[in-house]
């Protein structure tokens, strides 16, 4: 598994922890890397995603809200919501990753950690977000 793939998975876990525990990005990263992570592979990429999300949380969440028709953020499954956050940060803040890669990786995370319906939900919302951001 590649370093960025492991970083995305770690970022998902950290954002999930932030969501559930209500802690800051710094505290979540400190706890995850200090007590929960098995390995530190992908840590720089994961930390970048979490840091960027922390800096842009309102804008990222609003973008997800505005493109996830008929779904309130609070009603989304926690895994789906945080997969969307990871991928939206990639799409909007990290310029060197092709849209196709971001969407494929997000769908794989949703399949691995989410429900049966997660992959198609995540794919649909992210496709709209990418279009909104002008990503081809």
């Amino acid at each position: 598994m590649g370093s960025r793939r492991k970083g995305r998975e770690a970022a998902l876990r950290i954002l999930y922890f932030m969501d559930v525990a209500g802690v800051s990005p710094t505290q979540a990263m400190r706890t995850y890397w200090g007590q929960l992570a098995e390995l530190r592979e992908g840590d720089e990429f994961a930390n970048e995603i979490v840091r960027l999300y922390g800096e842009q949380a309102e804008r990222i969440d609003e973008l997800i809200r505005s493109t996830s028709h008929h779904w309130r953020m609070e009603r989304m499954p926690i895994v789906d919501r945080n997969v969307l956050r990871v991928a939206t940060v990639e799409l909007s803040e990290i310029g060197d990753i092709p849209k196709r890669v971001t969407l494929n990786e997000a769908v794989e995370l949703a399949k691995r950690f989410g429900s049966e319906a997660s992959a198609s939900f995540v794919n649909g919302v992210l496709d709209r977000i990418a279009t909104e951001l002008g990503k081809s």
Side-chain angles (χ1 to χ4, degrees), residues 12 16 77-81 83 106-122:
L12 171 62
Y16 187 100
I78 297 172
V79 169
D80 297 1
R81 178 171 57 232
V83 169
V107 167
E108 289 304 313
L109 282 173
K111 284 180 183 176
R112 183 164 179 209
F113 295 103
S115 70
E116 193 174 304
S118 293
S120 61
F121 173 72
V122 164

Side-chain angles (χ1 to χ4, degrees), residues 66 109 133:
S66 69
L109 282 173
L133 293 171

Side-chain angles (χ1 to χ4, degrees), residues 54-72:
E55 293 171 359
Q56 300 289 325
E58 285 184 36
R59 188 182 66 75
I60 297 294
D61 285 354
E62 181 53 37
L63 189 54
I64 294 168
R65 259 187 220 95
S66 69
T67 54
S68 58
H69 305 293
H70 311 295
W71 278 93
R72 293 193 329 254

Side-chain angles (χ1 to χ4, degrees), residues 10-46:
L12 171 62
R13 291 171 188 250
I14 294 167
L15 291 177
Y16 187 100
F17 179 63
M18 286 171 55
D19 212 357
V20 171
V23 298
S24 72
T26 302
Q27 181 60 43
M29 287 186 285
R30 187 177 304 126
T31 300
Y32 180 78
W33 295 116
Q35 299 173 17
L36 303 173
E38 296 171 12
L39 299 172
R40 288 195 66 102
E41 189 174 351
D43 62 338
E44 288 180 26
F45 188 58

